[in-house]
Amino acid sequence: MNDTTPDLSSLSLADIARLAEEHKLPPVERWNPDHCGDSEMRIARDGSWFHQGSPIGRPAMVKLFSTILRREDDGSHVLVTPVEKLDIEVEDAPFVAVEMKADGEGDAARLHFRLNTDDIVTAGPDNAIRFEVHDDGPRPYLHVRRGLEALISRAVYYELAERALADAGGTPGIWSDGAFFPMEPAQGTSE
């Protein structure tokens, strides 16, 4: 975490809402330039960004690129500006949820996630949590924006599982912002 990134555990609910609101993104969904080729960039499963096989070591650069990332209707990912569109390889999800803060319990809970890009996302009706089963175990995902998702890190997944066990009484799952997310994985997603 860099010096400008607040510690999620030290923020109030009002602080989290303010930070989320202040984060303005470019309108990539309205930009439709011609496809220009390959960016020669890749986002690894752990959220690391690479260009021509070398890691991008500047967090500010990764954060900037993440704001112009878009998921296409066919499931591919591109970096888009008003004048160009370049393919980018995404191994799993383009973001990783690395930290969680919970406010409230049961159906009154709100779960806030900090991503590897320092964005803050609150799970809820517009930012669903879903689970898939893979050969290496379950993988939880959080919808971030416009079809882009964050893989929820293993440590944060364990926090989610603890909450689900504490609220046991029917279908295991997680409440956030008035929405219930069952921890039952989607069928047929094993790799």
Side-chain angles (χ1 to χ4, degrees), residues 48-167:
S48 300
W49 287 58
F50 294 84
H51 181 254
Q52 296 180 335
S54 297
I56 299 175
R58 294 181 52 206
M61 195 66 116
V62 168
K63 188 169 183 147
L64 174 66
F65 283 130
S66 76
T67 67
I68 61 168
L69 183 64
R70 181 172 79 192
R71 185 170 182 171
E72 299 289 80
D73 291 339
D74 66 2
S76 65
H77 294 84
V78 294
L79 296 173
V80 65
T81 71
V83 296
E84 66 181 347
K85 178 168 52 172
L86 300 168
D87 295 326
I88 181 170
E89 178 187 348
V90 177
E91 288 182 0
D92 191 341
F95 302 101
V96 178
V98 296
E99 185 180 0
M100 180 182 79
K101 179 176 182 176
D103 290 305
E105 297 295 328
D107 61 1
R110 293 189 79 203
L111 304 178
H112 313 282
F113 297 85
R114 185 176 62 81
L115 307 183
N116 60 316
T117 54
D118 293 331
D119 296 301
I120 296 175
V121 177
T122 300
D126 294 330
N127 298 97
I129 298 172
R130 68 180 184 86
F131 298 85
E132 289 184 2
V133 172
H134 291 264
D135 291 340
D136 61 351
R139 289 189 201 163
Y141 295 90
L142 170 68
H143 180 262
V144 174
R145 64 177 179 266
R146 303 178 195 123
L148 298 173
E149 292 185 309
L151 174 65
I152 296 175
S153 71
R154 187 65 61 194
V156 175
Y157 169 66
Y158 291 147
E159 290 180 61
L160 289 175
E162 283 180 28
R163 289 186 70 81
L165 290 173
D167 291 342

